[in-house]
C-alpha cells in the first residue's frame, strides 16, 4: 500500500473542510466533483445520482459520460458486479479485477463505452445513506442492488428501462419527497495508472462524503419548505446560529421542546441551554481545527421520547443550522385530520405524508396500491385546495389551529 505524504494529508484536510459547506442536492454533485478532481487526476469523471422513490432508478450526470446504466455495461463491469455481490461502497478500480486483455474483450464494457471515450480504467465508489432511524426506506443498498440486478437479468419491466438510464437536468426532480438518494462517483484514465494513493484518499474521504450528502438532503428539504411557505420555519424545529455559534434566529416551536428536554433550563431565546451550547461550541472548534471529524447528532432521551439535533456547519455563509427532530412521540394526527373533513383513509395517508413518507412507503404501510395512494392524494388536495404535499399538510394544520381556537 502506497503511503500518503504530508502534502497529501494537507490536501485531504482542505478538501474535508470544503466538503461540509452546505449545498442543495442540485448543487452537491458538481461541488463534490470539483473538490475531488483536485485530488484525483483523471481525463474523464462522472457523478450519477440515483433514487428509488418511484420503485425504479434514475440518474443525473454531471458531465457527458452518458448511457452508463445499460444492461451490457452493468453485466461486464467487474467493479460494479463486486458491489452487487458484497454491497460494499468502498473505492475500487476495474484493473483490480481483470487484466487489460480481458477488459478489451468485454464488449459491453469496452466496445460500447470505454472505446468511445478512449479510456482504459475506471476508479469509482458509492456514496449513500442507508440509515433506518428516519424510516424513509428499509435498506437503500438492498433496494438499489435489486434494481440493478433486475436490469442485468432482464426482469425489469420494459417500460421502466428508459427511466432507469434517463439523464435529467435537475436532480431535485427525484427528491420531491426527500427520499434518500445514492451517488455513484467515478474517474477514468486512458491507461491503467490509478494507484493505491488514489484509493487511500477516497477511502479517507468516503465517511465525510456520506455525512455531507446527508446534510445536503436535510438542507434541501429545509430550503424547499422555507421557500414554499414562510411560516413553515416554526414547524421545522430549527435554530439559525451565527458563525461563532450564538443564536441568530429560533423557531417558535423550539421553546417548549428545549424546556422539556433540558428540565426548564432554557428560558432565554437568545441563548442555547448550557450543555447544548457547550456541545455546539466544541463541534465548531473541531471543524475549524486542522483535523476534521464527522459531526454526529446530539441525542437526548426523556420519558420514552428522544430528541435528535443535527448541526449543519457553513463557515463560508457565516451561519450554521441546528435541525431538531423528535422520535417515538405518542401523538397521532389521524383522528385530528378526520375532524377537518377527511375520510379515515385520507387522514391516514396525509399523516404518513406529514411524516415524510413517499408514495411507495405509504402504499406498503397501508397495504394499498400506489395508484390508490395517488387517488387519495387527489381527494385530499381537492378538499384542502392544496397544490402540493407540503401545502396540504400545512393547510390541514392551519385548519386544526383554527378549530382549536
Amino acid at each position: 500500500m502506497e503511503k500518503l505524504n504530508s502534502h497529501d494529508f494537507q490536501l485531504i484536510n482542505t478538501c474535508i473542510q470544503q466538503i461540509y459547506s452546505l449545498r442543495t442536492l442540485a448543487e452537491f454533485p458538481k461541488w463534490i466533483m470539483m473538490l475531488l478532481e483536485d485530488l484525483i487526476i483523471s481525463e474523464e469523471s462522472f457523478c450519477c445520482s440515483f433514487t428509488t422513490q418511484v420503485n425504479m432508478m434514475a440518474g443525473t450526470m454531471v458531465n457527458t459520460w452518458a448511457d452508463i446504466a445499460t444492461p451490457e455495461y452493468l453485466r461486464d463491469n467487474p467493479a460494479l458486479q463486486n458491489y452487487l455481490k458484497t454491497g460494499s461502497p468502498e473505492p475500487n478500480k476495474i484493473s483490480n479485477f481483470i487484466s487489460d486483455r480481458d477488459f478489451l474483450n468485454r464488449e459491453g464494457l469496452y466496445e460500447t463505452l470505454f472505446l468511445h471515450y478512449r479510456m482504459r480504467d475506471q476508479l469509482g465508489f458509492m456514496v449513500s445513506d442507508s440509515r433506518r432511524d428516519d424510516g424513509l426506506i428499509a435498506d437503500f443498498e438492498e433496494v438499489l442492488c435489486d434494481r440493478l440486478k433486475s436490469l442485468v437479468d432482464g426482469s425489469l419491466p420494459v417500460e421502466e428501462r428508459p427511466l432507469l438510464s434517463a439523464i435529467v437536468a435537475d436532480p431535485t426532480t427525484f427528491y420531491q419527497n426527500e427520499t434518500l438518494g445514492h451517488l455513484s462517483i467515478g474517474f477514468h484514465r486512458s491507461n491503467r495508472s490509478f494507484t493505491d494513493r488514489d484509493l487511500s484518499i477516497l477511502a479517507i474521504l468516503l465517511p465525510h462524503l456520506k455525512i455531507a450528502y446527508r446534510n445536503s438532503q436535510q438542507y434541501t428539504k429545509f430550503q424547499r419548505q422555507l421557500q414554499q411557505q414562510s411560516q413553515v420555519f416554526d414547524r421545522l424545529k430549527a435554530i439559525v446560529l451565527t458563525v461563532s455559534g450564538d443564536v441568530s434566529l429560533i423557531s417558535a416551536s423550539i421553546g417548549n421542546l428545549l424546556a422539556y428536554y433540558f428540565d426548564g433550563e432554557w428560558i432565554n431565546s437568545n441563548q442555547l441551554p448550557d450543555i447544548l451550547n457547550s456541545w455546539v461550541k466544541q463541534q465548531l472548534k473541531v471543524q475549524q481545527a486542522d483535523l476534521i471529524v464527522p459531526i454526529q447528532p446530539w441525542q437526548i432521551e426523556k420519558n420514552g421520547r428522544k430528541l435528535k439535533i443535527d448541526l449543519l456547519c457553513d463557515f463560508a455563509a457565516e451561519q450554521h443550522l441546528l435541525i431538531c427532530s423528535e422520535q417515538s412521540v405518542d401523538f397521532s394526527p389521524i383522528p385530528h385530520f378526520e375532524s377537518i373533513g377527511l375520510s379515515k383513509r385520507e387522514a391516514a395517508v396525509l399523516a404518513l405524508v406529514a411524516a415524510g413518507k413517499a408514495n411507495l412507503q405509504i402504499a406498503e404501510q397501508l397495504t394499498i396500491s400506489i395508484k390508490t395512494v395517488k387517488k387519495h392524494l387527489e381527494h385530499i388536495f381537492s378538499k384542502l385546495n392544496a397544490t402540493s404535499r407540503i401545502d396540504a399538510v400545512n393547510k390541514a394544520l392551519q385548519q386544526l389551529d383554527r378549530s382549536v381556537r
Side-chain angles (χ1 to χ4, degrees):
M1 180 68 72
E2 183 179 350
K3 291 185 178 181
L4 301 178
N5 56 40
S6 58
H7 179 65
D8 291 329
F9 282 111
Q10 183 179 1
L11 292 176
I12 291 171
N13 278 329
T14 300
C15 179
I16 291 174
Q17 292 181 41
Q18 295 175 308
I19 281 175
Y20 285 106
S21 179
L22 293 180
R23 292 291 187 275
T24 64
L25 288 171
E27 301 166 335
F28 188 81
K30 290 183 179 180
W31 171 248
I32 291 303
M33 292 309 295
M34 182 184 72
L35 298 179
L36 293 181
E37 286 169 355
D38 288 338
L39 290 169
I40 308 298
I41 305 302
S42 65
E43 293 153 76
E44 284 280 351
S45 61
F46 72 86
C47 180
C48 223
S49 64
F50 300 105
T51 176
T52 57
Q53 175 181 322
V54 289
N55 200 29
M56 63 187 69
M57 185 175 67
T60 177
M61 306 300 292
V62 165
N63 62 6
T64 58
W65 190 272
D67 300 325
I68 198 168
T70 63
E72 295 78 15
Y73 174 83
L74 299 177
R75 181 194 63 222
D76 285 352
N77 189 321
L80 186 53
Q81 287 297 316
N82 176 72
Y83 169 69
L84 294 179
K85 292 177 182 178
T86 66
S88 172
E90 297 299 321
N92 252 315
K93 50 185 179 177
I94 288 179
S95 55
N96 277 349
F97 298 95
I98 56 176
S99 66
D100 193 44
R101 175 177 295 183
D102 190 4
F103 171 78
L104 297 177
N105 289 331
R106 297 200 177 196
E107 181 178 352
L109 182 65
Y110 178 68
E111 293 187 16
T112 63
L113 188 61
F114 280 75
L115 178 61
H116 176 72
Y117 290 96
R118 298 180 180 178
M119 298 297 150
R120 298 291 282 270
D121 203 2
Q122 178 189 85
L123 170 62
F125 63 100
M126 305 288 185
V127 179
S128 64
D129 186 353
S130 56
R131 296 172 301 156
R132 297 172 182 267
D133 60 333
D134 283 346
L136 291 177
I137 57 175
D139 191 327
F140 185 84
E141 299 285 353
E142 182 178 345
V143 174
L144 179 62
C145 286
D146 287 343
R147 298 292 176 271
L148 292 172
K149 289 176 181 176
S150 65
L151 178 63
V152 174
D153 62 25
S155 62
L156 188 73
V158 174
E159 63 271 15
E160 292 187 8
R161 293 179 188 176
L163 291 173
L164 182 62
S165 58
I167 308 302
V168 297
D170 182 5
T172 58
T173 302
F174 296 96
Y175 292 93
Q176 292 175 350
N177 297 320
E178 284 72 53
T179 303
L180 289 180
H182 180 109
L183 290 181
S184 175
I185 296 177
F187 304 89
H188 300 88
R189 288 180 182 172
S190 57
N191 52 59
R192 297 160 70 90
S193 60
F194 287 114
T195 66
D196 288 341
R197 170 194 175 273
D198 301 321
L199 290 170
S200 297
I201 288 176
L202 294 179
I204 292 173
L205 293 177
L206 184 55
H208 297 280
L209 288 169
K210 287 182 177 180
I211 293 179
Y213 191 36
R214 185 182 69 192
N215 288 349
S216 178
Q217 291 164 339
Q218 293 179 322
Y219 183 62
T220 300
K221 178 180 179 180
F222 176 80
Q223 291 282 29
R224 186 178 297 121
Q225 291 179 327
L226 192 59
Q227 292 170 1
Q228 184 139 8
Q229 193 177 42
S230 59
Q231 61 263 43
V232 77
F233 181 78
D234 283 343
R235 299 191 183 101
L236 281 176
K237 298 183 176 64
I239 303 173
V240 180
L241 304 176
T242 65
V243 68
S244 61
D246 298 319
V247 175
S248 174
L249 181 64
I250 188 168
S251 63
S253 59
I254 284 291
N256 292 335
L257 201 59
L258 293 183
Y260 173 80
Y261 280 98
F262 294 93
D263 297 320
E265 176 189 338
W266 185 81
I267 57 175
N268 185 352
S269 61
N270 295 319
Q271 185 175 345
L272 296 173
D274 290 343
I275 189 170
L276 180 58
N277 184 59
S278 297
W279 176 77
V280 168
K281 296 297 178 66
Q282 178 62 29
Q283 296 304 317
L284 294 179
K285 182 178 179 181
V286 170
Q287 294 303 299
Q288 290 177 304
D290 291 336
L291 181 60
I292 304 300
V293 297
I295 300 177
Q296 299 301 324
W298 169 284
Q299 299 190 64
I300 182 171
E301 295 186 18
K302 184 177 181 180
N303 299 330
R305 296 163 62 182
K306 180 169 68 173
L307 179 68
K308 184 177 72 171
I309 302 177
D310 285 286
L311 173 60
L312 281 59
C313 297
D314 192 353
F315 289 97
E318 297 186 346
Q319 69 174 19
H320 314 296
L321 288 176
L322 285 178
I323 304 294
C324 305
S325 59
E326 196 174 27
Q327 300 172 353
S328 300
V329 180
D330 295 332
F331 172 75
S332 173
I334 294 178
H336 299 271
F337 285 157
E338 290 182 54
S339 70
I340 60 173
L342 300 184
S343 69
K344 185 174 182 178
R345 185 46 63 92
E346 289 168 352
V349 169
L350 186 58
L352 292 173
V353 169
K357 305 295 184 182
N359 287 351
L360 175 60
Q361 297 168 298
I362 296 174
E364 291 175 346
Q365 188 160 336
L366 299 181
T367 320
I368 57 178
S369 68
I370 295 180
K371 184 177 180 180
T372 301
V373 172
K374 292 180 179 179
K375 184 59 66 175
H376 283 312
L377 287 173
E378 289 178 9
H379 293 160
I380 292 170
F381 286 6
S382 177
K383 289 181 179 181
L384 298 176
N385 193 26
T387 58
S388 69
R389 299 162 76 94
I390 294 176
D391 190 33
V393 172
N394 287 335
K395 287 185 175 178
L397 292 174
Q398 289 172 357
Q399 290 190 32
L400 288 176
D401 288 342
R402 287 195 293 268
S403 65
V404 171
R405 295 170 189 170

